[in-house]
Amino acid sequence: MTIAEDLARTIIDPKSYAKRELADAAFARLRAEAPLDQAVLDEFDPFWVVTRHADIKEIERQPNIFHNGDKSTFLSPRDGVERVKALTGGEPNLIRSLVSVDGDEHKALRGVVFPHVTPRAIKPLEDQIRAIAREFVDHMLSFDGQCDFAADVAFLYPLRVIMTVLGVPQEDEPFMLKLTQELFNNADPELNRRRAELSPDEMLKSLWETTMELENYFAEVTKTFRAQPTGAINSLIANARIGDDYLNHRQLMGYYIIAATAGHDTTSNTTAGAMWALAERPELLKAMQDSPDRINAFVEESIRWEVPVKHFMRSAVEDCEIDGRQIRAGDWLMLSYQSANRDESVWADPFEFRIDREQNPQIAFGYGVHVCLGQHLARMEMRILWEELFKRLKTVELAGPGERTISNFVCGPKHVPIRFTVN
Ligand code: HEM
């Protein structure tokens, strides 16, 4: 069975995620009528659309059968993939990061940073992160009752946290923010490199330019930290070895780039989305202030609610069956985290923001061997920000319409205008 073309076009259209109801409605129909079927569209290789929580887990539980790196790790038209291969000497992904490698290479690379981002390893950062959170709460309050929470707070606080952990100086933060936005928001004329609607050709060209700019920056980072190693994560990456050798150029660049981009944009989107939810629900802020012990539930629900990573792709290396469907070796699959986090068989009222869920097995960080490396840091920094903000905030409401980024990959709110009062 193939998915009806209008539905397939809706779920791939970056604009459907800017008007999130469009993507949500299409996925709700798919979950009900075609939870695991193929999208067949002229300009793409056919791909299965995996919409259910259980099916995504089953696929991610089998990394030997479902590979990340054999085909493009995010949805990309056939032409685009061919051009990427021409640029990279045959690899389907422009950037060779943890999410685009498999097996022993993935295990070895992940092992470089993993011990430094476990809950125990990041606990000592709590005070430093709280100081940063207070600084940004003060910054927000300096706007005197009205600000764009996305641009004025949510984009900046996780950026400062991750850059501190990576060892990137503060003066480079605007550069990192700009290049991250270019990388993830190519379809959005407000945020992409050209500040314009781009053809697929221009998109690839500007992605390439952004990647090269990042690589030039990180080439210097390698030199600096090899000359003088520190405990910063970029220094661990620069000095890491697999066997006797330093990471090769593509491994190094991929590592720096994923940590420096995924390390804040995702968390910024989630934070902005949570504030949007609060601004629309006066009772939510009151509930959080009455029950501060619900803070972890609030953070977990905001991650489920926002789902900043909309999808990743996998490809099958052998024939297998998932949920009664015959998947063939070579097939490409889209894991829709947006859909899985709205799965009616897992959550009552999936379209409601609720802090009283007894269980919240949100899967917005993915699952299995590729599960988000920064998940504990992301949770901790968001908890701390909300703890600090809930102490100060008395009321909050939308001061105008919020706006979401046009993207089908990593995205969320880009404007959340709010009006607020403080205690
Ligand atoms: C709310 C915030 C975040 C969300 C929702 C998120 C989501 C994700 C998702 C969906 C994946 C792919 C998982 C899979 O394939 O199963 C992932 C991987 C990854 N994330 Fe995050 N992320 C967040 C924050 C962060 C932070 C703060 C960092 C940096 C410290 C980070 C670094 C990474 C890395 C390096 C990977 C690749 C892991 C691998 O392939 O082994 N993420 N993330």
Side-chain angles (χ1 to χ4, degrees):
M1 285 280 289
T2 58
I3 292 173
E5 180 163 354
D6 62 324
L7 275 181
R9 295 244 167 246
T10 303
I11 61 158
I12 65 165
D13 186 353
K15 294 198 174 87
S16 304
Y17 297 82
K19 288 238 165 289
R20 194 161 60 159
E21 320 77 77
L22 293 178
D24 273 339
F27 282 121
R29 264 187 66 194
L30 287 177
R31 282 192 303 279
E33 296 165 16
L36 180 54
D37 271 331
Q38 269 189 311
V40 180
L41 299 166
D42 287 347
E43 67 278 34
F44 294 89
D45 279 351
F47 58 95
W48 294 90
V49 181
V50 189
T51 62
R52 283 190 186 148
H53 191 273
D55 291 344
I56 290 189
K57 276 176 80 172
E58 192 175 344
I59 289 167
E60 293 218 51
R61 213 179 272 129
Q62 304 179 73
N64 295 333
I65 298 183
F66 296 99
H67 274 190
N68 285 40
D70 298 358
K71 296 199 171 191
S72 179
T73 313
F74 63 95
L75 186 69
S76 197
R78 196 179 297 116
D79 260 18
V81 178
E82 288 315 311
R83 275 168 220 208
V84 167
K85 285 184 180 166
L87 287 167
T88 57
E91 291 187 35
N93 290 293
L94 211 51
I95 296 167
R96 188 175 182 85
S97 76
L98 277 183
V99 284
S100 53
V101 295
D102 295 285
D104 289 345
E105 182 182 359
H106 173 256
K107 202 168 164 199
L109 287 174
R110 194 168 161 108
V112 171
V113 171
F114 179 76
H116 305 272
V117 288
T118 61
R120 184 202 283 244
I122 60 173
K123 186 97 185 74
L125 298 175
E126 175 133 8
D127 288 349
Q128 196 180 4
I129 294 180
R130 192 171 298 282
I132 300 175
R134 287 189 179 140
E135 192 182 315
F136 281 94
V137 169
D138 286 344
H139 177 64
M140 171 177 160
L141 302 194
S142 74
F143 283 94
D144 213 15
Q146 196 153 334
C147 71
D148 177 351
F149 186 80
D152 296 330
V153 181
F155 287 178
L156 307 178
Y157 163 69
L159 180 69
R160 173 70 48 82
V161 172
I162 193 70
M163 294 306 151
T164 306
V165 174
L166 295 179
V168 172
Q170 264 182 39
E171 62 268 24
D172 294 344
E173 287 173 9
F175 169 83
M176 285 296 168
L177 179 61
K178 177 175 173 289
L179 270 68
T180 305
Q181 291 183 332
E182 290 177 10
L183 210 56
F184 287 144
N185 305 315
N186 220 346
D188 194 319
E190 188 185 340
L191 299 171
N192 67 22
R193 194 172 173 92
R194 303 272 189 277
R195 300 289 191 261
E197 296 262 355
L198 300 181
S199 68
D201 247 16
E202 289 167 325
M203 279 193 188
L204 183 60
K205 197 157 176 281
S206 63
L207 272 187
W208 180 250
E209 288 167 12
T210 300
T211 309
M212 288 305 109
E213 217 180 315
L214 284 165
E215 290 203 359
N216 289 338
Y217 178 88
F218 286 120
E220 291 305 311
V221 168
T222 305
K223 280 190 210 150
T224 308
F225 283 128
R226 283 198 186 151
Q228 211 160 21
T230 71
I233 289 201
N234 277 346
S235 178
L236 299 173
I237 297 170
N239 291 292
R241 291 172 191 263
I242 298 185
D244 293 334
D245 302 320
Y246 286 129
L247 307 189
N248 66 38
H249 177 75
R250 287 197 37 86
Q251 291 169 331
L252 265 179
M253 292 302 147
Y255 222 139
Y256 291 131
I257 293 174
I258 195 172
T261 56
H264 62 96
D265 205 60
T266 47
T267 316
S268 297
N269 289 326
T270 307
T271 307
M275 178 54 91
W276 190 335
L278 279 162
E280 288 185 325
R281 294 168 181 75
E283 72 289 354
L284 186 55
L285 178 60
K286 171 137 187 20
M288 288 314 303
Q289 286 166 334
D290 290 346
S291 315
D293 56 318
R294 295 263 176 87
I295 194 94
N296 290 329
F298 176 84
V299 168
E300 223 50 29
E301 179 70 344
S302 65
I303 299 164
R304 183 194 75 82
W305 180 251
E306 198 41 58
V307 207
V309 179
K310 307 306 173 203
H311 77 270
F312 268 120
M313 307 296 288
R314 296 290 189 270
S315 56
V317 291
E318 58 185 65
D319 293 357
C320 61
E321 204 182 285
I322 297 287
D323 203 12
R325 289 281 188 256
Q326 189 61 52
I327 312 286
R328 302 276 174 209
D331 281 0
W332 204 27
L333 303 96
M334 173 198 262
L335 311 185
S336 170
Y337 298 116
Q338 165 118 359
S339 177
N341 281 288
R342 307 277 181 270
D343 188 332
E344 298 78 0
S345 68
V346 178
W347 291 277
D349 310 329
F351 296 98
E352 277 303 309
F353 191 109
R354 286 177 48 176
I355 51 168
D356 61 348
R357 299 185 185 281
E358 275 178 20
Q359 308 238 319
N360 193 350
Q362 58 81 9
I363 195 170
F365 286 126
Y367 188 77
V369 298
H370 285 276
V371 70
C372 178
L373 192 65
Q375 60 172 325
H376 303 298
L377 179 64
R379 285 190 174 101
M380 180 165 109
E381 65 187 85
M382 290 191 279
R383 169 178 57 76
I384 293 174
L385 180 71
W386 294 117
E387 282 169 356
E388 294 302 319
L389 204 48
F390 288 151
K391 280 193 246 167
R392 312 283 295 274
L393 209 54
K394 196 161 158 195
T395 61
V396 59
E397 61 183 358
L398 284 180
E403 224 183 302
R404 293 180 169 280
T405 304
I406 302 170
S407 164
N408 62 16
F409 184 37
V410 178
C411 59
K414 61 178 173 180
H415 298 295
V416 182
I418 54 167
R419 199 173 298 119
F420 58 91
T421 57
V422 290
N423 289 312

